[in-house]
Every structure is written in structure tokens, then in C-alpha cells.
Amino acid sequence: MHFRILILLSILFLSFTEKANKVSAVAAYKIGDEVKDFSLRSINGKLYSFSSFPSAKGFIVVFTSNYCPFSKSYEDRLIAIDKKYTLKSYPVIAINPNDAEAYEEDKLENIQARAKEKGFVFPILRDEKQSVAKVFGALRMPHAFVVKKEGFKYFLKYSGAIDDNPQDPSGITKNYLEDALQSLSENKPIITEQTKPIGCAIRWK
């Protein structure tokens, strides 16, 4: 009996290791790298890419999840960030890369219901093949990236946490994402270009 359990645990370990190796094998973007445009379908069926926003100066790309409690704690903050920075031509693009077969809440109909309940106006895209999450190097949910448009190209300027307090918005002492955006809007160097994202691990297929 114990031997069978050990075999099962070994199989599970090898399976997770294989998935982790596949993810780590992807060459993820680093700060300053050119970001290639992508095309993903939203929860409403429309295809979106950076080129869908011709007047944008850049983008706030956030990998998030419908089930993750950390992602839920940032929902209202994302709404406020999108409202503020869309006016500055940096709209939010939310991307759900999670394996919907593993989490019921991340199935299309449940994401649609939550979006309607919260009144999200920014697009929520489904990264069903998880290819965009891998090339961005997304690790947790939420994981935020700031991409700046320069001419006809896009460059990664920030990667990491939205702020330093997932649990309590009133206790925030460092607004990493907004600080980066403010620096870009003032044509100043970003002091903190990368932080460690805090949240739920992405469930890879």
C-alpha cells in the first residue's frame, strides 16, 4: 500500500516537474525587451491585440484569474487604475491564463458572470494555450506588466506586483504599478522596474 502511494507521488512529481520545465524553457521577456503583439479572444468573443488600440501610448497587462482570492482582492483597484490611466492612454488589458479544466470559476460562463457583476469595462482575454503568459514570464495571479509603445514597436517597462498590500488597500505603502506609470507619463526613469508578484500560481496545462 505504501509502495503504491510512493509510486503515485513520484508520478505526480514528475508530471509537475515536466510542466515546470516546459514553462521555464520559454524565453520570457526581460525589462527593456521588445514585446511582440498578440491576438487573443475576449470573454465576449472579440479578438484583441495591441493594435486594437491605435491611440494608446502603452498598456497595463495584468494576468489574473476568476477564482484566485488575490485576484479578487484587486478587482476594484484594477477598475480604478483602468479608469485613471485609460485617460492617459494606458488602458488595462486583463488576461486569464489559468487552466479552466482545473478551476470551475475560470470557465468562460463564470468569468462572464463575474465581469457583469463587477462592471468591468476593460477587456478580459482568454489565453487558452497559455502561450502569451509564458512569453511574458507571468508567474502569479495577479502579475502586472507595463508595456510602452514607441513608434510601431512595444517595449516592456515594468513587471511585478500592483502594490505592496494585496489584503488591504488602505494599508498600501508602495504603489509599484502606478509609480511606474507616473514616471513614464513624466518621461522619467522608472526607479523600481521589477518586483516580485504575490498571488496564486498559474495552473499550467
Side-chain angles (χ1 to χ4, degrees), residues 2-55:
H2 291 296
F3 182 68
R4 289 181 180 177
I5 293 174
L6 286 173
I7 291 176
L8 179 60
L9 289 173
S10 298
I11 293 172
L12 288 171
F13 175 76
L14 288 173
S15 175
F16 284 124
T17 301
E18 182 181 357
K19 289 181 180 180
N21 289 338
K22 286 181 180 178
V23 174
S24 62
V26 176
Y29 296 132
K30 297 180 179 61
I31 300 298
D33 282 356
E34 181 181 350
V35 176
K36 299 298 182 182
D37 202 355
F38 55 84
S39 181
L40 293 176
R41 199 168 295 278
S42 77
I43 60 171
N44 297 320
K46 181 180 177 181
L47 281 173
Y48 279 91
S49 62
F50 290 154
S51 57
S52 301
F53 305 84
S55 62

Side-chain angles (χ1 to χ4, degrees), residues 6 10 64 66 73 84 98 120 127 144 158 162 171 182 185 192:
L6 286 173
S10 298
T64 187
N66 206 47
S73 73
K84 179 178 179 179
N98 220 27
F120 296 138
D127 186 12
Y158 173 78
I162 295 172
Q182 186 63 32
S185 68
T192 304

Side-chain angles (χ1 to χ4, degrees), residues 19-163:
K19 289 181 180 180
N21 289 338
K22 286 181 180 178
V23 174
S24 62
V26 176
Y29 296 132
K30 297 180 179 61
I31 300 298
D33 282 356
E34 181 181 350
V35 176
K36 299 298 182 182
D37 202 355
F38 55 84
S39 181
L40 293 176
R41 199 168 295 278
S42 77
I43 60 171
N44 297 320
K46 181 180 177 181
L47 281 173
Y48 279 91
S49 62
F50 290 154
S51 57
S52 301
F53 305 84
S55 62
K57 296 179 180 178
F59 303 90
I60 304 164
V61 179
V62 182
F63 291 88
T64 187
S65 165
N66 206 47
Y67 100 93
C68 176
F70 287 92
S71 292
K72 288 180 178 178
S73 73
Y74 275 103
E75 288 176 335
D76 292 336
R77 278 176 266 186
L78 276 184
I79 291 171
I81 288 169
D82 178 65
K83 183 177 181 180
K84 179 178 179 179
Y85 287 96
T86 292
L87 296 174
K88 298 183 179 183
S89 300
Y90 273 87
V92 167
I93 297 177
I95 301 178
N96 188 320
N98 220 27
D99 183 2
E101 295 301 316
Y103 294 98
E104 183 73 19
E105 288 182 74
D106 280 321
K107 290 188 175 179
L108 176 59
E109 59 271 21
N110 293 324
I111 301 174
Q112 290 171 330
R114 184 65 175 175
K116 184 177 180 180
E117 177 187 347
K118 294 296 297 184
F120 296 138
V121 295
F122 49 79
I124 303 174
L125 314 183
R126 302 187 75 205
D127 186 12
E128 294 181 341
K129 294 182 179 180
Q130 302 181 319
S131 57
V132 177
K134 290 174 183 176
V135 76
F136 266 86
L139 300 173
R140 298 275 172 179
M141 299 175 294
H143 192 159
F145 298 83
V146 174
V147 176
K148 183 183 179 184
K149 184 178 180 181
E150 298 180 5
F152 295 100
K153 295 183 179 181
Y154 309 93
F155 295 90
L156 183 63
K157 298 296 182 179
Y158 173 78
S159 166
I162 295 172
D163 55 50

